[in-house]
Amino acid sequence: MSMNILLLNAGSSSIKYQVLDMTDERVLATGLIQKIGGAGSTLEHTVGGEEFSLAQDFADHTEALAAMTAMFDAHGPEMSEIRAVGHRTVHGGDRFDHTVLITDEVIQTLVDLSPLAPLHNPPGITAIRAAQAVLPGVPHVAVFDTAFFAHLPAEAYTYAIDRETAQRLKIRRYGFHGTSHNYVSHTVAETLGRPYEDLKMIVLHLGNGASVSAIKDGKPIETSMGLTPLQGLMMGTRSGDIDPGVHAYLYRSGLSMDEIDTLLNKKSGLLGLAGVNDMRDVSDKAATGDPDAQLALDVYVHRLVSYIGSYIALLNGVDAVAFTAGVGENAANIRELVISRLDNLGFHLDPERNAVRSKEPRLISTDDSPVKVLVVPTNEELQMAREVKEVVAG
Ligand code: AMP
């Protein structure tokens, strides 16, 4: 019998989807719905290597998902063979430390958690309700970005602020990209042929958003994102770490809270320094001698090296470091810039291995490098589908 699982990743105006057959972990279809709620909505659907597209305005997520089901009916895969739906859910707060079956109570808890993730959780909840309407007969499951980090040590997740305020408002480090850090760290252990529990690892998820995690004794012990996905590394459009005093200073200088939020989340990072947010464009500009792009690269690498150093100290040594996501998987120049600054710490890059482009996990350090350096293409959908399958199987 087929074990097809539909995975949905919803934003406020977009939905990415994928159908996997979990009898053999094969991708059956992928799709992207864009500009939901506005003019010019589109749906792109790929199945069996063929692409189908539809340009039709969708007023909301329900209309968009209805169009997706019509696309399935016309071109496959069979809607009737979908056994479960998995929903990527950004913030599980302190309430969810694992993947759960969605009930009315779970939805209410997500509503209660929405102030912690105002940009992410509300569209997620809208998509859950819309998907339940178009697929009422199958279990719906929530997979949380925060769950992998739910049991960080208290010393890692606690901010040094007034305890009563922190407890009342649930202010602590939560961490994000957990599905990716989970998948990649397990793939590192498999690739090296070593038990997961025996490895001290650092995972660098470098996409448009970026985060680092440190894993020891089979558990994450630290990660760079915090209450929100704004903390930590420099990202495509997010500042990452800055002096917390900057917020109050900007506010007193006349910016509104929304303007400050937008400045730090959408107009900072690579975009803020170099004027472009895609690492390919930043690298191209830097190569032509553009000083702003060069500074952006320098800050990006400096931040990465300093996080890696700090995590080596927390782990008291490291066995393996893995690069993943758009920048980590593709930008050999960034990997080289970072690793070459760690040669006295036992990181020896093999330039030929680093230059290889592949969708497979691979070692890019030399055979005698004390620290193993890897590139591991992340696969959040597969990790989600495995977790959904487990929940559905009970
Ligand atoms: P993600 O969020 O994982 O999809 O990563 C998207 C980001 O990866 C883009 O914004 C680019 O900055 C970066 N990226 C993708 N492909 C490349 C590439 N070939 N070289 C450098 N950076 C890349």
Side-chain angles (χ1 to χ4, degrees), residues 16 205-209 236 270 277-280 283 324-334 357 378 380:
K16 272 193 244 166
H205 176 108
L206 311 178
N208 201 26
L270 294 173
N277 72 304
D278 190 304
M279 185 54 90
R280 287 165 284 205
S283 294
T324 192
V327 176
E329 291 167 29
N330 297 299
N333 61 324
I334 299 293
R357 299 185 65 85
T378 194
E380 288 162 290

Side-chain angles (χ1 to χ4, degrees), residues 6-307:
L6 168 66
L7 301 164
L8 297 177
N9 183 352
S12 55
S13 64
S14 71
I15 300 175
K16 272 193 244 166
Y17 62 83
Q18 206 171 98
V19 180
L20 282 106
D21 179 351
M22 291 307 289
T23 53
D24 55 5
E25 300 193 336
R26 213 161 26 101
V27 177
L28 300 180
T30 60
L32 177 62
I33 312 175
Q34 295 186 91
K35 298 198 182 165
I36 301 168
S41 318
T42 54
L43 192 166
E44 289 155 39
H45 180 69
T46 305
V47 60
E50 269 195 273
E51 278 179 37
F52 303 92
S53 58
L54 175 71
Q56 177 192 314
D57 290 350
F58 310 125
D60 53 29
H61 287 61
T62 309
E63 280 188 17
L65 289 179
M68 180 195 76
T69 57
M71 198 59 117
F72 281 32
D73 288 339
H75 304 291
E78 277 288 327
M79 277 306 277
S80 61
E81 287 186 5
I82 289 177
R83 299 277 172 262
V85 184
H87 296 266
R88 181 177 182 193
T89 309
V90 169
H91 218 309
D94 57 357
R95 302 294 298 278
F96 298 106
D97 63 357
H98 58 279
T99 296
V100 294
L101 193 68
I102 297 173
T103 59
D104 290 346
E105 201 186 337
V106 166
I107 294 183
Q108 186 52 49
T109 309
L110 288 176
V111 171
D112 296 344
L113 288 170
S114 283
L116 284 175
L119 301 178
H120 294 104
N121 276 23
I125 296 165
T126 307
I128 290 171
R129 291 193 167 122
Q132 284 178 326
V134 296
L135 274 156
V138 301
H140 289 251
V141 172
V143 185
F144 297 95
D145 252 24
T146 46
F148 185 60
F149 298 115
H151 298 291
L152 286 177
E155 67 203 38
Y157 74 65
T158 304
Y159 290 124
I161 63 170
D162 171 63
R163 271 178 76 74
E164 188 280 322
T165 308
Q167 280 166 359
R168 182 165 46 85
L169 295 175
K170 300 180 186 299
I171 300 171
R172 50 161 282 183
R173 184 193 294 285
Y174 292 98
F176 298 86
H177 295 143
T179 310
S180 177
H181 287 275
N182 190 0
Y183 175 83
V184 170
S185 56
H186 280 90
T187 307
V188 167
E190 268 168 40
T191 308
L192 296 176
R194 302 261 310 268
Y196 189 70
E197 294 71 25
D198 290 358
L199 284 169
K200 293 178 183 178
M201 288 182 268
I202 296 174
V203 174
L204 306 164
H205 176 108
L206 311 178
N208 201 26
S211 61
V212 198
S213 66
I215 293 152
K216 185 181 173 182
D217 300 327
K219 298 186 293 279
I221 61 157
E222 182 58 289
T223 191
S224 59
M225 282 179 165
L227 172 81
T228 74
L230 182 55
Q231 196 180 351
L233 294 169
M234 175 176 167
M235 312 182 207
T237 64
R238 285 174 239 164
S239 63
D241 298 334
I242 53 168
D243 179 346
V246 171
H247 297 79
Y249 179 69
L250 287 169
Y251 182 67
R252 292 195 194 101
S253 303
L255 272 74
S256 70
M257 275 303 160
D258 282 345
E259 284 169 339
I260 296 169
D261 223 21
T262 303
L263 176 78
L264 298 177
N265 278 292
K266 303 218 167 114
K267 297 184 181 171
S268 297
L270 294 173
L271 180 67
L273 293 190
V276 283
N277 72 304
D278 190 304
M279 185 54 90
R280 287 165 284 205
D281 299 333
V282 179
S283 294
D284 288 349
K285 278 180 106 175
T288 65
D290 182 299
D292 294 338
Q294 188 56 53
L295 179 63
L297 277 187
D298 293 345
V299 176
Y300 192 91
V301 170
H302 174 92
R303 191 80 60 90
L304 271 169
V305 171
S306 102
Y307 262 95

